Tab-separated table of all heavy atoms in Angstrom:
chain	number	residue	atom	x	y	z
A	18	LYS	N	7.132	15.436	-1.467
A	18	LYS	CA	6.969	14.859	-0.132
A	18	LYS	C	5.967	13.702	-0.117
A	18	LYS	O	5.301	13.467	0.887
A	18	LYS	CB	6.490	15.944	0.841
A	18	LYS	CG	7.297	17.207	0.826
A	18	LYS	CD	8.481	17.115	1.719
A	18	LYS	CE	9.107	18.492	1.842
A	18	LYS	NZ	10.519	18.489	1.798
A	19	THR	N	5.874	12.957	-1.187
A	19	THR	CA	4.839	11.929	-1.298
A	19	THR	C	5.048	10.711	-0.408
A	19	THR	O	4.133	9.908	-0.253
A	19	THR	CB	4.692	11.456	-2.758
A	19	THR	OG1	5.957	10.954	-3.204
A	19	THR	CG2	4.234	12.584	-3.652
A	20	ASP	N	6.215	10.558	0.188
A	20	ASP	CA	6.454	9.396	1.046
A	20	ASP	C	6.150	9.641	2.522
A	20	ASP	O	6.216	8.720	3.318
A	20	ASP	CB	7.910	8.918	0.913
A	20	ASP	CG	8.136	8.133	-0.367
A	20	ASP	OD1	7.149	7.632	-0.939
A	20	ASP	OD2	9.297	8.018	-0.785
A	21	ILE	N	5.799	10.852	2.886
A	21	ILE	CA	5.585	11.171	4.298
A	21	ILE	C	4.354	10.470	4.860
A	21	ILE	O	4.398	9.879	5.920
A	21	ILE	CB	5.485	12.697	4.498
A	21	ILE	CG1	6.837	13.343	4.189
A	21	ILE	CG2	5.049	13.033	5.915
A	21	ILE	CD1	6.794	14.855	4.197
A	22	LEU	N	3.236	10.558	4.160
A	22	LEU	CA	1.969	9.982	4.614
A	22	LEU	C	1.255	9.441	3.387
A	22	LEU	O	1.018	10.179	2.431
A	22	LEU	CB	1.132	11.073	5.299
A	22	LEU	CG	-0.146	10.655	5.995
A	22	LEU	CD1	0.143	9.710	7.156
A	22	LEU	CD2	-0.887	11.883	6.512
A	23	LYS	N	0.919	8.150	3.417
A	23	LYS	CA	0.337	7.551	2.211
A	23	LYS	C	-0.361	6.242	2.526
A	23	LYS	O	-0.177	5.655	3.595
A	23	LYS	CB	1.426	7.304	1.168
A	23	LYS	CG	2.508	6.318	1.623
A	23	LYS	CD	3.601	6.195	0.580
A	23	LYS	CE	4.719	5.292	1.074
A	23	LYS	NZ	5.780	5.186	0.071
A	24	ILE	N	-1.162	5.803	1.576
A	24	ILE	CA	-1.704	4.452	1.523
A	24	ILE	C	-1.114	3.870	0.242
A	24	ILE	O	-1.626	4.123	-0.852
A	24	ILE	CB	-3.245	4.434	1.492
A	24	ILE	CG1	-3.811	5.081	2.755
A	24	ILE	CG2	-3.749	2.990	1.341
A	24	ILE	CD1	-5.328	5.216	2.761
A	25	PRO	N	-0.008	3.134	0.341
A	25	PRO	CA	0.720	2.739	-0.862
A	25	PRO	C	0.027	1.704	-1.750
A	25	PRO	O	0.231	1.701	-2.962
A	25	PRO	CB	2.038	2.180	-0.316
A	25	PRO	CG	1.752	1.792	1.091
A	25	PRO	CD	0.663	2.705	1.565
A	26	GLY	N	-0.791	0.834	-1.174
A	26	GLY	CA	-1.363	-0.251	-1.960
A	26	GLY	C	-2.819	-0.053	-2.311
A	26	GLY	O	-3.545	0.698	-1.667
A	27	GLY	N	-3.241	-0.722	-3.356
A	27	GLY	CA	-4.624	-0.691	-3.776
A	27	GLY	C	-4.863	0.106	-5.037
A	27	GLY	O	-5.937	0.046	-5.619
A	28	GLY	N	-3.868	0.857	-5.486
A	28	GLY	CA	-3.984	1.629	-6.722
A	28	GLY	C	-3.247	0.946	-7.857
A	28	GLY	O	-2.824	-0.212	-7.743
A	29	SER	N	-3.040	1.661	-8.933
A	29	SER	CA	-2.387	1.070	-10.101
A	29	SER	C	-0.893	0.844	-9.897
A	29	SER	O	-0.304	-0.026	-10.539
A	29	SER	CB	-2.610	1.959	-11.335
A	29	SER	OG	-2.017	3.229	-11.143
A	30	ALA	N	-0.250	1.604	-8.998
A	30	ALA	CA	1.184	1.427	-8.760
A	30	ALA	C	1.471	0.165	-7.941
A	30	ALA	O	2.517	-0.465	-8.126
A	30	ALA	CB	1.767	2.644	-8.035
A	31	LEU	N	0.560	-0.198	-7.051
A	31	LEU	CA	0.740	-1.382	-6.210
A	31	LEU	C	-0.618	-2.047	-5.988
A	31	LEU	O	-1.250	-1.890	-4.941
A	31	LEU	CB	1.376	-1.006	-4.860
A	31	LEU	CG	1.675	-2.155	-3.897
A	31	LEU	CD1	2.656	-3.160	-4.495
A	31	LEU	CD2	2.200	-1.602	-2.577
A	32	PRO	N	-1.084	-2.784	-6.995
A	32	PRO	CA	-2.366	-3.477	-6.838
A	32	PRO	C	-2.297	-4.497	-5.707
A	32	PRO	O	-1.231	-5.057	-5.422
A	32	PRO	CB	-2.564	-4.185	-8.185
A	32	PRO	CG	-1.631	-3.515	-9.130
A	32	PRO	CD	-0.487	-3.006	-8.305
A	33	LEU	N	-3.416	-4.723	-5.047
A	33	LEU	CA	-3.460	-5.742	-3.999
A	33	LEU	C	-3.486	-7.126	-4.637
A	33	LEU	O	-4.209	-7.363	-5.599
A	33	LEU	CB	-4.695	-5.543	-3.129
A	33	LEU	CG	-4.758	-4.239	-2.361
A	33	LEU	CD1	-6.056	-4.153	-1.561
A	33	LEU	CD2	-3.560	-4.081	-1.449
A	34	THR	N	-2.661	-7.998	-4.088
A	34	THR	CA	-2.581	-9.371	-4.585
A	34	THR	C	-2.588	-10.318	-3.396
A	34	THR	O	-2.383	-9.910	-2.249
A	34	THR	CB	-1.282	-9.597	-5.388
A	34	THR	OG1	-0.167	-9.439	-4.497
A	34	THR	CG2	-1.167	-8.623	-6.555
A	35	CYS	N	-2.759	-11.583	-3.667
A	35	CYS	CA	-2.684	-12.595	-2.603
A	35	CYS	C	-1.302	-12.587	-1.960
A	35	CYS	O	-1.167	-12.831	-0.765
A	35	CYS	CB	-2.979	-13.982	-3.171
A	35	CYS	SG	-4.683	-14.185	-3.720
A	36	GLU	N	-0.281	-12.252	-2.744
A	36	GLU	CA	1.090	-12.265	-2.244
A	36	GLU	C	1.415	-11.073	-1.339
A	36	GLU	O	2.230	-11.184	-0.429
A	36	GLU	CB	2.098	-12.289	-3.404
A	36	GLU	CG	2.092	-13.582	-4.220
A	36	GLU	CD	0.911	-13.688	-5.183
A	36	GLU	OE1	0.423	-12.639	-5.663
A	36	GLU	OE2	0.451	-14.816	-5.431
A	37	ASN	N	0.802	-9.915	-1.561
A	37	ASN	CA	1.185	-8.742	-0.765
A	37	ASN	C	0.162	-8.311	0.283
A	37	ASN	O	0.453	-7.450	1.101
A	37	ASN	CB	1.536	-7.555	-1.674
A	37	ASN	CG	0.338	-6.942	-2.375
A	37	ASN	OD1	-0.816	-7.184	-2.056
A	37	ASN	ND2	0.626	-6.111	-3.362
A	38	ILE	N	-1.004	-8.889	0.299
A	38	ILE	CA	-2.063	-8.420	1.187
A	38	ILE	C	-1.708	-8.569	2.671
A	38	ILE	O	-2.109	-7.750	3.493
A	38	ILE	CB	-3.421	-9.103	0.879
A	38	ILE	CG1	-4.573	-8.350	1.561
A	38	ILE	CG2	-3.426	-10.555	1.299
A	38	ILE	CD1	-4.851	-7.003	0.987
A	39	SER	N	-0.914	-9.581	3.021
A	39	SER	CA	-0.556	-9.759	4.437
A	39	SER	C	0.349	-8.645	4.963
A	39	SER	O	0.401	-8.393	6.164
A	39	SER	CB	0.111	-11.123	4.657
A	39	SER	OG	1.331	-11.181	3.944
A	40	ALA	N	1.016	-7.905	4.073
A	40	ALA	CA	1.850	-6.774	4.472
A	40	ALA	C	1.014	-5.506	4.685
A	40	ALA	O	1.553	-4.473	5.080
A	40	ALA	CB	2.930	-6.520	3.430
A	41	ARG	N	-0.279	-5.578	4.415
A	41	ARG	CA	-1.225	-4.483	4.611
A	41	ARG	C	-0.846	-3.196	3.857
A	41	ARG	O	-0.857	-2.120	4.438
A	41	ARG	CB	-1.423	-4.187	6.090
A	41	ARG	CG	-2.005	-5.339	6.841
A	41	ARG	CD	-2.237	-4.953	8.275
A	41	ARG	NE	-2.928	-6.042	8.956
A	41	ARG	CZ	-2.985	-6.153	10.246
A	41	ARG	NH1	-2.427	-5.256	11.020
A	41	ARG	NH2	-3.616	-7.162	10.803
A	42	PRO	N	-0.561	-3.288	2.576
A	42	PRO	CA	-0.219	-2.078	1.828
A	42	PRO	C	-1.402	-1.136	1.613
A	42	PRO	O	-1.226	-0.003	1.180
A	42	PRO	CB	0.311	-2.613	0.495
A	42	PRO	CG	-0.429	-3.900	0.322
A	42	PRO	CD	-0.550	-4.476	1.721
A	43	ASN	N	-2.613	-1.610	1.933
A	43	ASN	CA	-3.829	-0.801	1.754
A	43	ASN	C	-4.201	-0.035	3.032
A	43	ASN	O	-5.328	0.415	3.169
A	43	ASN	CB	-4.984	-1.675	1.298
A	43	ASN	CG	-5.300	-2.770	2.303
A	43	ASN	OD1	-4.411	-3.330	2.937
A	43	ASN	ND2	-6.564	-3.106	2.447
A	44	THR	N	-3.237	0.123	3.940
A	44	THR	CA	-3.474	0.889	5.158
A	44	THR	C	-2.558	2.119	5.188
A	44	THR	O	-1.599	2.203	4.434
A	44	THR	CB	-3.236	0.039	6.428
A	44	THR	OG1	-1.901	-0.443	6.438
A	44	THR	CG2	-4.202	-1.148	6.482
A	45	ILE	N	-2.869	3.029	6.093
A	45	ILE	CA	-2.117	4.275	6.196
A	45	ILE	C	-0.700	4.000	6.704
A	45	ILE	O	-0.507	3.261	7.658
A	45	ILE	CB	-2.837	5.263	7.141
A	45	ILE	CG1	-4.179	5.650	6.544
A	45	ILE	CG2	-1.992	6.497	7.393
A	45	ILE	CD1	-5.087	6.439	7.489
């Protein structure tokens, strides 16, 4: 059930980059 509630960005699977930061992957 790992897709129910997560902070997808900021870890090794989805590092924060200049290209993805505007999509806010480092939020809940």
